[in-house]
Amino acid sequence: MSEHLAVKAALKAQRIETPSWAYGNSGTRFKTFAQDGVPRNPFEKVDDAAQVHAFTGVAPSLALHIPWDQVDDYAALADHAAQQGLRIGAINPNVFQDDDFRLGSVCHPDPVVRKKATAHLLECVDIMDETGSDVLSLWFADGLNYPGQDSLAARQERLSEGLRTAYDRLGGRQRMLLEYKLFEPAFYATDVPDWGTSFAHCVDLGERARVLVDTGHHAPGTNIEFIVAFLLGRGRLGGFHFNSRFYADDDLMAGAADPFQLFRIMHEVVRAGGLDASADVAFMLDQCHNIEPKIPALIRSVLNVQEATAKALLVDADALAQAQRDGDVLAANAVLMDAYNTDVRPLLAELREEAGLDPDPIGAYRRSGHAEKIAAARRGGRPAGWDS
Amino acid sequence: MSEHLAVKAALKAQRIETPSWAYGNSGTRFKTFAQDGVPRNPFEKVDDAAQVHAFTGVAPSLALHIPWDQVDDYAALADHAAQQGLRIGAINPNVFQDDDFRLGSVCHPDPVVRKKATAHLLECVDIMDETGSDVLSLWFADGLNYPGQDSLAARQERLSEGLRTAYDRLGGRQRMLLEYKLFEPAFYATDVPDWGTSFAHCVDLGERARVLVDTGHHAPGTNIEFIVAFLLGRGRLGGFHFNSRFYADDDLMAGAADPFQLFRIMHEVVRAGGLDASADVAFMLDQCHNIEPKIPALIRSVLNVQEATAKALLVDADALAQAQRDGDVLAANAVLMDAYNTDVRPLLAELREEAGLDPDPIGAYRRSGHAEKIAAARRGGRPAGWDS
Amino acid sequence: MSEHLAVKAALKAQRIETPSWAYGNSGTRFKTFAQDGVPRNPFEKVDDAAQVHAFTGVAPSLALHIPWDQVDDYAALADHAAQQGLRIGAINPNVFQDDDFRLGSVCHPDPVVRKKATAHLLECVDIMDETGSDVLSLWFADGLNYPGQDSLAARQERLSEGLRTAYDRLGGRQRMLLEYKLFEPAFYATDVPDWGTSFAHCVDLGERARVLVDTGHHAPGTNIEFIVAFLLGRGRLGGFHFNSRFYADDDLMAGAADPFQLFRIMHEVVRAGGLDASADVAFMLDQCHNIEPKIPALIRSVLNVQEATAKALLVDADALAQAQRDGDVLAANAVLMDAYNTDVRPLLAELREEAGLDPDPIGAYRRSGHAEKIAAARRGGRPAGWDS
Amino acid sequence: MSEHLAVKAALKAQRIETPSWAYGNSGTRFKTFAQDGVPRNPFEKVDDAAQVHAFTGVAPSLALHIPWDQVDDYAALADHAAQQGLRIGAINPNVFQDDDFRLGSVCHPDPVVRKKATAHLLECVDIMDETGSDVLSLWFADGLNYPGQDSLAARQERLSEGLRTAYDRLGGRQRMLLEYKLFEPAFYATDVPDWGTSFAHCVDLGERARVLVDTGHHAPGTNIEFIVAFLLGRGRLGGFHFNSRFYADDDLMAGAADPFQLFRIMHEVVRAGGLDASADVAFMLDQCHNIEPKIPALIRSVLNVQEATAKALLVDADALAQAQRDGDVLAANAVLMDAYNTDVRPLLAELREEAGLDPDPIGAYRRSGHAEKIAAARRGGRPAGWDS
């Protein structure tokens, strides 16, 4: 297979998951600006996710957030997805919006609250069973606002216990991804603040536990691709939550803030074979669209990840390795930059046409009239949002 | 007057303003945890502010946020305050929670929206007239989430226009404070991101316009006391929004994250005569209490500012100047640290007793039963919050 | 003139200045790794700068650093440059490497030291006269390592005085650029830490004083293009020191760390007419090459600035303005990204060929044998470096 | 034993190690300002360290840096120390100042260079044997300046190999501490950037390997006490390099930048029993004094660590635990702050007097005339510095 064909094959095999919550209303602590045509239930979110997949061809799964996506019949939801060529992706438990969780969930000082939190994790594994999901994606809002508020050390022990209970419930191909986040909503300390914390817990738990890298959750100056390379080297990269960050967890469209960083991350993924299905790395978006229309913003994000991947696939690995061996700093950097500076949009347009898709997904979506259709159809009822 | 007496006199004259919104419910974008006994209207907020003043003796004014504190009769609200020994402090227009303000207010690309925003600023000056407030405190959520979203340059021109309109409406002792903020809710660019931008606009406007320094609104590594010293040197420090920041605009109790920084800031204030009433520097809190009870958290914040001030007043100015002149790095630093390392709580307890107050304001508040009283009394109705 | 031709014309007219110190040895505080063929005097630095210009066609001037580039006969140095098609660019006084400057230069507590520093500034204006330079480029290492070490306020006044003395000495087309820097070598506070400080002093001084933006001198999260747009809007952007920064003042090749940021900066420049000669904006590199060969690293940097400029020139200004007016967030962002995602290397190769240059400057330099020639010729003598 | 006595006993048992390099000249990349009386060899460094110990009573060991502290007879150096009541502390290999190490040491692409680096590590274990040191303190300057420069993943494997070789050579009570650092001197990526990387390697190696926390080596916003608590919880905290950081690895006197942070760190240490000799946690300073006199700056640093420790010992652990269990955010924070706000200088003065020391170590040192003595005696010869 020629190199060109290999690049295309890899791009065709890529899968990028969209999150159900990105289709609903979201905002900052200051204001949620409502949009027209927002889904009113998980079934309508599936419908919107199907649009993203229809126009990009590489987004065939949808992550759920429980209880935001609570339904009576999860099998029916999975069926609804399947009928549109989608499957249910990661299940994301929410243990931060109940009044009991004011001071934490699995790390809470009160064992009653911890038990409630853990029960919700187990409920989410049940939902995995019912929907066919094989990823339990854990993020905890647990943390402290003030020094002394609680014992940092005791909270780690409680965290270990909660994770263990959920982990032991997993079966078959199911795995657990543990996300870390530097700050927010806790401001002084978060209980899983960095990849090291997540990594240590995953190693404790076993082979099914892996680190989830959210590209918006790091301190300034952090080299994310280093983390990615390190985790891939030890078989502990569970997946990504792609989004963009200028300052904090800005949750903007993936690739919008620093496309070069996204390329460098994908370069490490490609180099280590992380695109192969056997690597079990989940490529997921996690972002919200507060001021821009949601479906085209998700399409744009998928395209941005795809373009970064294409550029990473174009890196001349042999030339790079040679320059690195030679200690030729400028040549090695130039090999990488040559790939980055390439305009891959024609290649991706070609790829889409071969797959029977419109070469311009954003334009095609706009022309499809879907936005107008849902704006008209989805009147009445309560729009989905972060709080519902 | 002995030095000890002078320190006490300065501390007795200090005034720290609390914000009406800190008495209502608040939260992060993830969740607002409701508390018991939260005020249901601006009059009840005044009642709570009166508690903070009653126990500290140095918090005799309350900042309002419009429309959160909209009432039919502002004179009645001011009267209600006066009856409890309070006055209405800064008026804070809110031009970020109306759907029209999704893409900005005074910087919005659409002149119709800009006009609406400016009209609200003028309405707030009317409220100043009605309440006797002499500070118009401006913070704009205006900004961009994405590169290219709007013209950074054009937005500055629109900002100038909006500010001019409001400025020209001020009279008497009224003045305008212009706050800056690095990020949030806009993530890519904010229209007044730093003190330089605020300063330049204030100089354009005239003598009544000054920079408002919110201690939580800076990039990591920013030396805030430098800014304070610089602005005081040019007569352009309008005041403070005190709060605490570990990572971002965390809005925690003042002095909770970095008490040494708060001391350094107050040292610059003291050194430059910024405590004098003639300096017209407004010392205001701006924070929210998401997980802790609100009134005692405000009392604690007032005490923290007061303690930092006391330490700053204890700096041996002559010894410091001498060591600085000598280029004696260690001695100069030691003079400052001596003051900082002093435990000023006994001095402040003495001060309170002299003023007929309980030496332990937090304990006294707890013992007063106010918390239980409002929790019982304020049932029914809609608790105040950031969204009301 | 077609748009394509206009873009080419703008690119042909662009001028990027290289700094003499980038040709000498440099390092971190841990180690300076010496390289072969490094110039041993300012004349040899001119020779190397001529190479960068010869292969790029857009780098016809060289900035000097005094006393690193002290010579007996500055006119002779300027002549030597002119013979190779170069001119002397900005003069950079060094007031940080004399033992007297341990605690500062123009801000030093001791008036004797301040006078010495100011005298050096004046000497540098003399050198401007002798070399035909029209830019005095000021950066001060002044600052404090410890709180209390000196008076922040008094240092501002001393700074004002020192700047005034130098400013008043300028004549003809000469102008003063005042650089700011968040930190290093001072760690607690620097005396010109941010653009606001530089701007305020420039406004004090007069029309010939302008802010110099070094792209590596900001706090994390700072939006540099906002600053650029703001200063251009007020006629106070004096120029750039381009380099790259991952964490601090890393001084890497321009465009190496965040090419998208460089593009956004150049977009603001292009939009505001900053490329026009009449705008008097100086485009200068300021970086050091600690581990990579210096001349090709400078060529690469020039190319990176040129590529960012080309992309900025390709932005469809009308489409952008329309989308911005419409408040169409996604469309506006897409217009910008379309330009950024374009591969401009073919256009620049074409441009070079039209100018009689090799389309591949890095390859051409490598093939020229210059590196080997200077490595052989420049044996013996003391290689130039930051300390000489 | 009363609580007061227990606090005193803990403080008397505390040991803080000073680093040999802090006694020599140091600087930034811009300039090293020479000082009078600087030691000219390791024996004179020992003499200065003895002064710090003589006046503080808690600094009985000295860390060495090889080859900066290379001597012909290490046993003689240890004897010289012992005669003054000191012992040799950690041995710090230097694998960053040889020209061969331009692109790294144990991570270098060339196996010949890696072998040279590893040989130096082994040589340092020999020196541990000869001096009685039981700590091999490893920091690597290895890293990359540019994306693509070398393989991040391959470098991790080389690092593992190098560490393993050194680790396997340790015997008796000897242990290995692995330091991490976010950036500098490498700017794009460092090979041990964070505690997670160090932790993972230590776990690989075995029980004798532990993480070294340098308080100046983190990204902005990092909660260092969380890391300390986490590592203590897993028996992997090897020790500290105390210094202060405003922005980067500023290497200022410990406690100078954020005394509250130092207190919070010591609180975690105290809470977890990390002060006990059995915990094998090394409390070491690692800083340089570029503009201030070195011996008193080290004394001040020792005092600052001691004061933070005293405050941490004063935390009312029972009251704290109770408030934490109750979820009483304000009370728990107040318990911590009560201890922090206490002025512990009288307690420490008392402690010193009981030990026969001057209660004011800085004043006593100044009055001792040692500074003048060494300034007079140490003329001629080459002052020690980072480069010798």
Side-chain angles (χ1 to χ4, degrees):
Chain A
M1 188 160 56
S2 81
E3 196 187 343
H4 190 68
L5 287 179
V7 168
K8 278 189 173 175
L11 289 168
K12 274 176 189 158
Q14 191 176 26
R15 295 287 170 265
I16 301 163
E17 181 165 310
T18 68
S20 71
W21 52 96
Y23 298 98
N25 282 324
S26 63
T28 67
R29 62 176 168 142
F30 294 99
K31 171 75 174 170
T32 291
F33 293 101
Q35 297 193 9
D36 286 338
V38 160
R40 293 159 301 177
N41 57 57
F43 290 85
E44 290 183 353
K45 293 181 189 174
V46 166
D47 297 342
D48 286 0
Q51 292 287 315
V52 175
H53 184 46
F55 288 101
T56 62
V58 294
S61 65
L62 178 70
L64 300 186
H65 206 286
I66 308 297
W68 294 345
D69 295 320
Q70 211 156 27
V71 292
D72 291 333
D73 184 346
Y74 287 100
L77 186 65
D79 278 353
H80 184 71
Q83 282 160 25
Q84 306 188 59
L86 295 187
R87 60 179 186 76
I88 301 302
I91 303 298
N92 294 257
N94 173 325
V95 283
F96 54 87
Q97 287 190 319
D98 186 289
D99 279 332
D100 283 342
F101 297 143
R102 186 173 57 94
L103 300 180
S105 63
V106 292
C107 302
H108 196 285
D110 183 342
V112 174
V113 177
R114 294 204 293 276
K115 198 167 172 188
K116 176 173 174 171
T118 310
H120 181 60
L121 303 187
L122 296 178
E123 180 197 344
C124 284
V125 184
D126 292 341
I127 295 172
M128 293 172 71
D129 292 341
E130 295 170 51
T131 57
S133 161
D134 52 15
V135 169
L136 182 67
S137 181
L138 298 181
W139 171 68
F140 297 102
D142 289 60
L144 310 177
N145 272 6
Y146 293 105
Q149 178 187 326
D150 197 1
S151 162
L152 294 168
R155 292 175 78 92
Q156 284 302 308
E157 289 169 23
R158 299 172 200 149
L159 175 62
S160 288
E161 260 184 65
L163 291 174
R164 169 58 63 193
T165 304
Y167 185 84
D168 286 349
R169 168 70 180 76
L170 297 174
R173 293 201 64 245
Q174 292 174 341
R175 55 198 196 278
M176 171 190 283
L177 308 192
L178 181 55
E179 195 168 352
Y180 56 91
K181 187 176 183 185
L182 175 70
F183 99 110
E184 199 210 20
F187 296 131
Y188 162 63
T190 56
D191 289 310
V192 191
D194 53 22
W195 76 265
T197 307
S198 176
F199 174 79
H201 282 286
C202 287
V203 169
D204 289 349
L205 290 168
E207 291 296 327
R208 290 163 177 283
R210 293 198 187 173
V211 180
L212 176 56
V213 176
D214 183 299
T215 49
H217 287 191
H218 303 83
T222 302
N223 184 323
I224 302 177
E225 59 267 30
F226 173 90
I227 297 171
V228 168
F230 190 95
L231 292 173
L232 280 165
R234 288 169 179 251
R236 289 288 178 178
L237 180 68
F240 292 97
H241 270 182
F242 289 116
N243 55 47
S244 278
R245 165 200 177 276
F246 284 100
Y247 185 75
D249 183 37
D250 302 340
D251 269 347
L252 303 177
M253 298 188 295
D258 190 345
F260 183 42
Q261 181 188 61
L262 184 55
F263 161 75
R264 299 194 309 262
I265 291 171
M266 293 310 302
H267 166 60
E268 293 302 327
V269 169
V270 165
R271 192 200 43 72
L275 281 184
D276 299 346
S278 65
D280 266 344
V281 176
F283 298 88
M284 305 180 285
L285 302 181
D286 179 11
Q287 56 201 36
C288 52
H289 306 290
N290 299 337
I291 60 166
E292 69 273 25
K294 297 162 197 301
I295 295 174
L298 283 159
I299 294 175
R300 165 62 59 206
S301 299
V302 168
L303 301 187
N304 285 351
V305 175
Q306 208 181 16
E307 289 173 19
T309 308
K311 291 181 178 196
L313 287 162
L314 290 177
V315 171
D316 183 336
D318 293 337
L320 183 63
Q322 185 61 51
Q324 290 176 342
R325 262 194 308 273
D326 295 347
D328 188 336
V329 175
L330 291 176
N333 177 246
V335 170
L336 206 71
M337 298 312 294
D338 269 350
Y340 179 66
N341 286 325
T342 303
D343 188 343
V344 295
R345 293 174 300 174
L347 170 71
L348 288 166
E350 191 183 309
L351 193 80
R352 283 178 206 116
E353 287 187 314
E354 289 172 16
L357 298 173
D358 192 299
D360 170 17
I362 297 276
Y365 173 75
R366 199 182 314 114
R367 289 185 297 272
S368 76
H370 181 78
E372 294 75 15
K373 199 183 98 184
I374 56 178
R378 295 175 183 170
R379 296 183 188 277
R382 190 174 173 218
W386 279 33
D387 55 343
S388 62
Chain B
M1 188 159 56
S2 82
E3 195 187 342
H4 191 68
L5 286 178
V7 168
K8 278 191 174 173
L11 289 168
K12 274 176 191 158
Q14 191 175 26
R15 295 289 172 262
I16 300 163
E17 180 165 311
T18 68
S20 71
W21 51 97
Y23 297 98
N25 283 322
S26 63
T28 67
R29 61 176 168 140
F30 294 99
K31 169 75 174 170
T32 291
F33 294 101
Q35 297 192 9
D36 285 341
V38 161
R40 294 159 302 178
N41 57 57
F43 290 84
E44 291 183 351
K45 293 181 190 174
V46 166
D47 297 342
D48 286 0
Q51 291 287 314
V52 175
H53 184 47
F55 289 100
T56 63
V58 294
S61 66
L62 178 70
L64 300 185
H65 206 285
I66 308 295
W68 294 344
D69 295 320
Q70 211 156 27
V71 292
D72 291 335
D73 184 344
Y74 287 99
L77 186 65
D79 278 354
H80 184 71
Q83 282 160 24
Q84 307 188 58
L86 296 187
R87 58 177 188 76
I88 300 302
I91 303 297
N92 294 258
N94 174 327
V95 282
F96 53 87
Q97 287 190 320
D98 186 288
D99 279 333
D100 282 343
F101 297 144
R102 186 173 56 95
L103 301 180
S105 63
V106 292
C107 302
H108 196 285
D110 183 342
V112 175
V113 177
R114 294 203 294 276
K115 198 166 173 188
K116 174 174 176 171
T118 310
H120 181 60
L121 304 186
L122 296 178
E123 180 197 344
C124 284
V125 184
D126 292 340
I127 296 172
M128 293 171 71
D129 292 340
E130 296 170 52
T131 57
S133 161
D134 52 14
V135 169
L136 182 67
S137 181
L138 299 181
W139 171 68
F140 297 103
D142 289 60
L144 310 178
N145 273 5
Y146 294 103
Q149 178 186 327
D150 197 1
S151 163
L152 295 168
R155 293 176 77 92
Q156 283 302 309
E157 289 169 23
R158 297 171 201 150
L159 175 62
S160 288
E161 262 185 64
L163 291 174
R164 170 58 62 193
T165 304
Y167 185 84
D168 286 347
R169 169 70 182 73
L170 297 174
R173 292 200 65 242
Q174 292 173 342
R175 55 199 197 279
M176 171 190 284
L177 307 192
L178 181 55
E179 193 169 353
Y180 56 91
K181 188 176 183 185
L182 175 69
F183 97 110
E184 198 211 20
F187 296 131
Y188 162 63
T190 57
D191 289 310
V192 191
D194 52 22
W195 76 265
T197 306
S198 176
F199 174 79
H201 282 286
C202 287
V203 170
D204 289 349
L205 290 168
E207 291 296 327
R208 292 163 176 281
R210 294 198 187 173
V211 179
L212 176 57
V213 175
D214 182 298
T215 49
H217 287 190
H218 304 83
T222 302
N223 184 322
I224 301 177
E225 60 267 31
F226 173 89
I227 297 170
V228 168
F230 191 95
L231 291 173
L232 280 165
R234 289 171 178 249
R236 290 289 179 178
L237 180 68
F240 292 97
H241 270 181
F242 289 116
N243 55 49
S244 279
R245 164 200 177 277
F246 285 101
Y247 185 74
D249 183 37
D250 302 341
D251 268 346
L252 303 177
M253 297 187 297
D258 190 346
F260 183 41
Q261 182 188 62
L262 183 56
F263 161 75
R264 299 194 311 262
I265 290 171
M266 292 311 302
H267 167 59
E268 293 302 327
V269 168
V270 166
R271 193 199 41 73
L275 280 184
D276 300 347
S278 66
D280 266 345
V281 175
F283 298 88
M284 306 180 284
L285 301 180
D286 179 10
Q287 56 202 36
C288 51
H289 307 290
N290 300 336
I291 61 166
E292 70 272 25
K294 295 161 198 299
I295 294 174
L298 283 159
I299 294 176
R300 165 62 60 207
S301 300
V302 167
L303 301 187
N304 286 350
V305 174
Q306 209 181 13
E307 291 173 18
T309 307
K311 292 181 177 196
L313 286 162
L314 291 176
V315 171
D316 183 336
D318 294 337
L320 183 64
Q322 185 61 50
Q324 290 176 343
R325 264 195 306 275
D326 295 346
D328 189 336
V329 176
L330 291 176
N333 177 246
V335 171
L336 205 71
M337 297 313 294
D338 269 349
Y340 179 66
N341 287 325
T342 303
D343 188 344
V344 295
R345 292 173 301 173
L347 170 70
L348 289 166
E350 192 183 309
L351 194 80
R352 282 178 206 117
E353 287 187 314
E354 288 172 16
L357 298 174
D358 192 299
D360 169 18
I362 297 276
Y365 173 75
R366 201 181 311 114
R367 290 186 296 271
S368 75
H370 182 77
E372 294 73 15
K373 197 184 100 183
I374 55 177
R378 294 176 184 168
R379 295 184 188 277
R382 189 173 174 219
W386 279 32
D387 53 344
S388 63
Chain C
M1 188 159 59
S2 82
E3 195 188 343
H4 191 68
L5 286 179
V7 168
K8 277 190 174 176
L11 289 168
K12 274 177 190 157
Q14 191 175 26
R15 295 289 172 262
I16 301 163
E17 181 165 310
T18 68
S20 71
W21 52 96
Y23 297 99
N25 282 323
S26 63
T28 67
R29 62 176 169 143
F30 295 100
K31 171 75 174 169
T32 291
F33 294 101
Q35 297 193 8
D36 285 340
V38 160
R40 294 159 301 177
N41 57 56
F43 290 85
E44 291 183 352
K45 292 181 189 173
V46 166
D47 297 342
D48 286 1
Q51 292 286 315
V52 175
H53 185 46
F55 289 100
T56 63
V58 294
S61 65
L62 178 70
L64 299 185
H65 207 285
I66 308 296
W68 294 345
D69 295 319
Q70 211 155 26
V71 292
D72 291 334
D73 184 344
Y74 287 99
L77 186 65
D79 277 354
H80 183 71
Q83 283 160 25
Q84 306 188 58
L86 296 187
R87 61 179 187 77
I88 301 302
I91 303 298
N92 294 258
N94 173 329
V95 283
F96 53 88
Q97 287 190 319
D98 187 288
D99 279 333
D100 283 343
F101 296 143
R102 186 173 56 95
L103 300 180
S105 64
V106 292
C107 302
H108 196 285
D110 183 342
V112 175
V113 177
R114 294 204 294 275
K115 198 167 173 189
K116 175 173 175 171
T118 311
H120 181 60
L121 304 187
L122 297 179
E123 180 198 344
C124 284
V125 184
D126 292 340
I127 295 172
M128 292 171 70
D129 292 341
E130 296 170 52
T131 57
S133 162
D134 52 15
V135 168
L136 182 67
S137 180
L138 298 181
W139 171 68
F140 297 102
D142 289 60
L144 310 177
N145 272 6
Y146 294 104
Q149 178 186 327
D150 198 1
S151 162
L152 294 168
R155 292 176 77 92
Q156 284 302 309
E157 288 168 25
R158 299 171 200 150
L159 175 63
S160 288
E161 263 186 62
L163 291 174
R164 169 59 61 194
T165 305
Y167 184 85
D168 286 348
R169 169 69 182 77
L170 297 174
R173 292 200 66 243
Q174 293 174 340
R175 55 199 196 279
M176 170 191 284
L177 307 192
L178 180 56
E179 194 168 352
Y180 57 92
K181 188 177 183 185
L182 175 70
F183 98 110
E184 198 209 21
F187 296 131
Y188 163 63
T190 56
D191 289 310
V192 191
D194 53 21
W195 77 264
T197 308
S198 176
F199 173 79
H201 282 286
C202 287
V203 169
D204 289 349
L205 290 168
E207 291 296 327
R208 292 163 177 282
R210 293 200 189 170
V211 180
L212 177 57
V213 175
D214 183 298
T215 49
H217 287 192
H218 303 83
T222 303
N223 184 323
I224 302 178
E225 60 267 29
F226 173 90
I227 298 171
V228 168
F230 190 95
L231 292 173
L232 280 165
R234 287 169 180 251
R236 289 288 179 178
L237 180 69
F240 292 97
H241 270 180
F242 289 117
N243 55 47
S244 278
R245 165 200 177 278
F246 284 101
Y247 185 74
D249 183 37
D250 302 340
D251 269 346
L252 304 177
M253 298 188 295
D258 190 346
F260 182 42
Q261 182 188 62
L262 184 55
F263 160 75
R264 298 194 310 261
I265 291 171
M266 292 310 302
H267 166 60
E268 292 303 327
V269 169
V270 165
R271 193 199 42 74
L275 280 184
D276 299 347
S278 65
D280 266 344
V281 175
F283 298 88
M284 306 180 285
L285 301 180
D286 179 11
Q287 57 202 35
C288 52
H289 306 290
N290 298 337
I291 59 166
E292 69 272 26
K294 296 163 197 301
I295 296 175
L298 283 159
I299 294 176
R300 165 62 59 205
S301 299
V302 167
L303 301 187
N304 285 351
V305 175
Q306 207 180 18
E307 290 172 19
T309 308
K311 291 180 178 196
L313 287 161
L314 290 176
V315 171
D316 183 336
D318 293 338
L320 182 64
Q322 185 61 51
Q324 291 176 342
R325 263 195 308 274
D326 295 347
D328 188 337
V329 176
L330 291 176
N333 177 246
V335 169
L336 206 71
M337 297 314 293
D338 268 349
Y340 179 66
N341 286 324
T342 303
D343 188 344
V344 294
R345 293 175 299 173
L347 169 71
L348 288 165
E350 192 183 309
L351 194 80
R352 283 178 205 117
E353 286 188 314
E354 288 171 16
L357 298 174
D358 192 299
D360 169 18
I362 296 277
Y365 173 75
R366 199 182 315 112
R367 289 186 297 270
S368 76
H370 181 77
E372 294 74 15
K373 200 183 97 184
I374 56 178
R378 295 174 184 169
R379 296 183 188 276
R382 190 173 174 221
W386 278 33
D387 55 344
S388 63
Chain D
M1 189 160 56
S2 80
E3 197 188 342
H4 191 67
L5 287 179
V7 168
K8 278 190 174 174
L11 289 168
K12 273 176 191 160
Q14 191 175 27
R15 297 288 172 263
I16 300 163
E17 181 165 310
T18 68
S20 71
W21 52 97
Y23 297 98
N25 282 323
S26 63
T28 65
R29 61 176 168 140
F30 294 100
K31 169 76 174 170
T32 291
F33 294 101
Q35 297 193 8
D36 285 340
V38 160
R40 293 158 303 177
N41 57 55
F43 290 84
E44 292 183 351
K45 292 181 190 173
V46 166
D47 296 342
D48 286 1
Q51 292 287 314
V52 175
H53 184 46
F55 289 100
T56 62
V58 294
S61 65
L62 177 70
L64 300 185
H65 207 285
I66 308 297
W68 293 345
D69 295 320
Q70 210 155 29
V71 292
D72 290 335
D73 185 344
Y74 286 99
L77 185 65
D79 278 353
H80 184 72
Q83 283 159 23
Q84 306 187 59
L86 295 187
R87 59 177 188 74
I88 300 302
I91 303 297
N92 294 257
N94 173 327
V95 282
F96 54 85
Q97 286 189 320
D98 187 288
D99 279 333
D100 282 342
F101 297 144
R102 186 174 56 95
L103 300 180
S105 64
V106 293
C107 302
H108 196 285
D110 184 342
V112 175
V113 177
R114 295 203 294 276
K115 199 167 171 187
K116 175 174 175 171
T118 310
H120 181 61
L121 304 187
L122 296 179
E123 180 198 344
C124 284
V125 184
D126 292 341
I127 295 172
M128 292 171 70
D129 292 340
E130 296 170 52
T131 56
S133 161
D134 53 14
V135 169
L136 182 67
S137 181
L138 299 181
W139 172 67
F140 298 102
D142 289 61
L144 310 177
N145 272 5
Y146 293 104
Q149 178 187 325
D150 198 1
S151 163
L152 294 169
R155 292 176 78 92
Q156 283 302 309
E157 289 170 22
R158 297 171 201 150
L159 175 62
S160 288
E161 261 186 63
L163 291 173
R164 170 59 62 192
T165 304
Y167 184 84
D168 286 347
R169 169 71 181 73
L170 297 174
R173 292 199 66 244
Q174 292 173 342
R175 55 198 197 278
M176 171 190 283
L177 307 192
L178 181 54
E179 193 169 352
Y180 57 91
K181 188 177 184 185
L182 176 70
F183 97 110
E184 199 209 19
F187 296 131
Y188 162 63
T190 57
D191 289 310
V192 191
D194 53 22
W195 76 265
T197 307
S198 176
F199 173 79
H201 282 285
C202 287
V203 170
D204 289 350
L205 290 168
E207 290 296 326
R208 291 163 177 282
R210 292 198 189 172
V211 179
L212 176 57
V213 175
D214 184 297
T215 50
H217 287 191
H218 304 83
T222 303
N223 183 322
I224 301 178
E225 60 266 32
F226 173 89
I227 298 171
V228 169
F230 191 95
L231 292 172
L232 280 165
R234 289 171 178 248
R236 289 289 179 179
L237 180 69
F240 292 97
H241 270 181
F242 288 116
N243 55 49
S244 279
R245 163 200 177 277
F246 284 100
Y247 186 74
D249 183 37
D250 302 341
D251 269 346
L252 303 177
M253 298 188 296
D258 190 347
F260 183 42
Q261 182 188 62
L262 183 55
F263 160 75
R264 298 193 312 260
I265 291 171
M266 292 312 301
H267 167 60
E268 293 302 327
V269 169
V270 166
R271 194 199 42 73
L275 280 184
D276 300 347
S278 65
D280 266 345
V281 175
F283 297 88
M284 306 180 286
L285 301 180
D286 178 10
Q287 55 201 36
C288 51
H289 306 290
N290 299 336
I291 61 166
E292 69 272 26
K294 296 162 198 299
I295 295 174
L298 283 159
I299 294 175
R300 166 61 60 206
S301 300
V302 168
L303 301 187
N304 286 350
V305 174
Q306 209 180 14
E307 290 173 18
T309 308
K311 292 181 177 195
L313 287 162
L314 291 176
V315 171
D316 182 337
D318 293 338
L320 182 63
Q322 185 61 52
Q324 291 176 343
R325 262 194 309 274
D326 294 346
D328 189 336
V329 175
L330 291 176
N333 178 246
V335 171
L336 206 71
M337 297 313 294
D338 269 350
Y340 179 67
N341 286 325
T342 303
D343 188 344
V344 295
R345 292 174 300 172
L347 170 71
L348 289 165
E350 192 184 308
L351 194 79
R352 282 180 207 117
E353 287 188 312
E354 288 172 15
L357 299 174
D358 193 298
D360 170 18
I362 296 276
Y365 173 75
R366 200 182 313 113
R367 291 186 294 273
S368 76
H370 181 77
E372 295 72 16
K373 198 183 98 182
I374 55 178
R378 295 176 182 168
R379 295 183 190 277
R382 188 172 175 220
W386 279 32
D387 54 343
S388 63

